[in-house]
Amino acid sequence: MTTIAVLGNGRVGGNLAGALTRAGHDVTVADRTPGAAANAARPSQIVINATPGAGSLDRLAALREELRGKILLDVSNATVDGPDGLPADLIYPGSSLAEQLQEALPETRVVKTLNTMLFPVMTEPAALTQAPDAFLSGEDSQAKETVRELLVDLGWRKEWITDLGGIQTARATEAAILFVPHVIRSSGFVPFAISIAR
C-alpha cells in the first residue's frame, strides 16, 4: 500500500483516486480549499498532479517544502484553450509543464505519464480495441519504476509502458495533446490513447 495524494478533484483526479483506492492504496484527494493541497501532500509518498495544467506550476511551486523528496506524478497538460474549450496551443512551447515543474521543484522527483489519452483510458486501458501506450519521462529511474508499478495497479500491462528517458522527453508527449481536439471533433468524446504500432 502506498500513501498517495491526488491534487485536483475533477474528472481526471476523481477517476485516478477511485481506481487507486480500489487497488488498495491509501488515497487522499485535495480540493481547492486553502491548505488542502499542503495537508494532503505532506504525509504522502506520491503526489499526483491532476490540476488544470495552466495553473499547475504556480500551485505546485508553492508546495516546495511539502513535495521535498516525494515523487510527483504529473498527468496534466498545460494548454491554451480555444473558443470551444478544447486545447488550441501549448503554454510552454520548446519546453513542457513537466520540465518547468522539475526546475521549480529540484528536490522532487517528477515523472510525466498518462497525459496522451482521454481520462477514462488512464484506469481502463484494456477497454480499448487495441493496446494503448503509457509513456514515462523523468530523471529518476527509481521513481519511474515506482510509477510503473502504480500503472500496473491501474490495469496497464508492463509491455504497454514505455520509458522515454529524461524529463525533456515530456515535450513530445505533452505536444500530443494537440491531436486531441481534432480527434474529438472528428469522432466525438470516445475514449482513445496515443499508441505506437510495432
Side-chain angles (χ1 to χ4, degrees):
M1 181 182 73
T2 304
T3 305
I4 300 170
V6 178
L7 308 185
N9 62 347
R11 292 182 298 184
V12 174
N15 186 40
L16 287 169
L20 289 167
T21 298
R22 290 190 294 276
H25 298 287
D26 180 7
V27 181
T28 301
V29 179
D31 58 22
R32 291 191 178 209
T33 59
N39 291 337
R42 195 172 292 114
S44 298
Q45 297 162 285
I46 297 174
V47 177
I48 298 176
N49 175 36
T51 65
S56 289
L57 184 57
D58 289 341
R59 287 190 191 101
L60 274 73
L63 300 175
R64 184 168 177 162
E65 290 304 313
E66 290 83 359
L67 293 172
R68 187 188 303 273
K70 309 286 175 70
I71 294 173
L72 177 61
L73 196 168
D74 177 33
V75 303
S76 293
N77 288 301
T79 60
V80 177
D81 290 342
D84 58 1
L86 295 174
D89 208 349
L90 302 173
I91 289 178
Y92 304 111
S95 183
S96 63
L97 173 59
E99 288 173 87
Q100 298 295 315
L101 289 170
Q102 187 62 86
E103 184 177 345
L105 302 164
E107 295 174 275
T108 301
R109 297 174 290 165
V110 178
V111 178
K112 188 81 181 192
T113 193
L114 295 181
N115 64 307
T116 56
M117 62 202 69
L118 291 190
F119 76 92
V121 181
M122 295 178 177
T123 57
E124 285 190 90
L128 297 181
T129 56
Q130 63 191 55
D133 280 286
F135 303 101
L136 302 175
S137 299
E139 297 299 324
D140 188 290
S141 58
Q142 185 178 14
K144 286 191 283 188
E145 187 55 37
T146 299
V147 171
R148 185 188 297 271
E149 292 169 7
L150 269 191
L151 296 186
V152 170
D153 287 347
L154 290 173
W156 289 85
R157 295 183 187 175
K158 289 187 177 180
E159 62 268 25
W160 296 350
I161 304 168
T162 301
D163 185 347
L164 295 179
I167 199 69
Q168 191 176 32
T169 63
R171 295 181 189 187
T173 59
E174 289 191 24
I177 190 67
L178 299 180
F179 275 102
V180 171
H182 307 298
V183 174
I184 289 175
R185 291 183 193 113
S186 173
S187 306
F189 199 84
V190 178
F192 72 90
I194 302 295
S195 62
I196 306 299
R198 295 178 176 88

